[in-house]
Amino acid sequence: EPEVTQTPSHQVTQMGQEVILRCVPISNHLYFYWYRQILGQKVEFLVSFYNNEISEKSEIFDDQFSVERPDGSNFTLKIRSTKLEDSAMYFCASIDSPLSRGNEQFFGPGTRLTVL
Amino acid sequence: GNSVTQMEGPVTLSEEAFLTINCTYTATGYPSLFWYVQYPGEGLQLLLKATKADDKGSNKGFEATYRKETTSFHLEKGSVQVSDSAVYFCALSDQGSGLTFGKGTLLTVNP
């Protein structure tokens, strides 16, 4: 069964450094999402992406964040200058069409980001 | 805006007990409703979903019914197992928008 993959599984970085989290969505999916989950808290929506542009973003997704689909398979989340409070699990998700199958989003296993 | 309110945990049950986790929502549109499960150390997995009023989603013995009149989507299982121990998230999505999640409910099932 096709699945969403994410790399790395765990990233440790120093405060102020840039990080890039990578995702490979399911191959025929067109809509992509990033979420984060701070330890012990709820999962929060960051951004959605379709047709090479952001379609929706939350208030969390400020100028420190950016997303990109650099090629036909990868979908990346970049944090330009990490802060301690960026430490969280970051999940990528994808969907073939928002109007199909009850908008079911398929999630990757997550990348745990630790900012020191 | 959209929001999901979920029963606070943690919930601790004995094996074969009946489970209910309450979930209510507010939404400006006509959302689809979901329950996701997160097993220890793993990512999110879709457990079940419902796309319109009175739909019942079911999977692995879990059920939830989309109740528009009470804006609820309570999760139930008649007989839980130790392997059901996980965090359960109620969520909604409106026409492919980002999912809005509840805070999650930690379920622990003891043998």
Side-chain angles (χ1 to χ4, degrees):
Chain A
E1 184 175 331
E3 57 183 17
V4 177
T5 59
Q6 290 185 243
T7 54
S9 57
H10 190 190
Q11 173 91 46
V12 181
T13 189
Q14 296 290 324
M15 191 169 55
Q17 295 296 303
E18 174 184 286
V19 294
I20 298 176
L21 309 182
R22 290 182 168 78
C23 169
V24 179
I26 294 172
S27 63
N28 63 337
H29 284 189
L30 301 175
Y31 293 77
F32 315 117
Y33 305 82
W34 282 102
Y35 296 84
R36 79 171 185 193
Q37 183 183 29
I38 295 172
L39 186 63
Q41 299 187 25
K42 69 176 178 177
V43 179
E44 300 172 292
F45 167 72
L46 293 178
V47 66
S48 61
F49 190 85
Y50 169 68
N51 200 25
N52 283 321
E53 60 183 28
I54 290 172
S55 51
E56 183 187 9
K57 62 181 181 179
S58 72
E59 62 274 11
I60 302 168
F61 194 87
D62 60 22
D63 292 344
Q64 291 297 311
F65 292 92
S66 62
V67 289
E68 191 178 31
R69 187 153 164 84
D71 53 43
S73 59
N74 289 284
F75 177 52
T76 61
L77 174 69
K78 181 192 291 186
I79 309 175
R80 288 192 183 81
S81 177
T82 50
K83 302 188 277 286
L84 294 176
E85 54 265 37
D86 293 327
S87 295
M89 182 74 89
Y90 289 81
F91 293 105
C92 173
S94 70
I95 189 171
D96 53 358
S97 164
L99 299 178
S100 72
R101 290 192 287 175
N103 310 345
E104 179 182 343
Q105 295 180 22
F106 292 83
F107 281 78
T111 293
R112 179 165 297 285
L113 176 65
T114 301
V115 182
L116 303 176
Chain B
N2 297 336
S3 68
V4 174
T5 302
Q6 193 175 335
M7 181 173 129
E8 294 286 331
V11 174
T12 303
L13 296 172
S14 298
E15 206 163 24
E16 299 183 5
F18 184 84
L19 168 71
T20 299
I21 301 177
N22 290 336
C23 172
T24 57
Y25 67 91
T26 57
T28 53
Y30 201 170
S32 295
L33 302 175
F34 305 85
W35 277 99
Y36 278 85
V37 59
Q38 186 178 33
Y39 297 103
E42 298 185 14
L44 295 163
Q45 300 177 29
L46 179 66
L47 180 60
L48 53 84
K49 62 180 171 66
T51 59
K52 60 183 187 297
D54 300 325
D55 264 3
K56 178 186 283 188
S58 62
N59 186 27
K60 299 180 182 178
F62 290 89
E63 293 183 341
T65 301
Y66 191 143
R67 300 286 187 203
K68 192 166 186 286
E69 64 275 14
T70 54
T71 60
S72 65
F73 193 55
H74 304 321
L75 182 69
E76 296 181 338
K77 186 173 185 181
S79 176
V80 293
Q81 306 300 311
V82 173
S83 57
D84 294 327
S85 298
V87 181
Y88 292 82
F89 292 94
C90 186
L92 68 82
S93 175
D94 198 354
Q95 292 291 313
S97 68
L99 287 161
T100 299
F101 284 89
K103 290 186 176 180
T105 301
L106 172 63
L107 170 66
T108 302
V109 180
N110 295 319

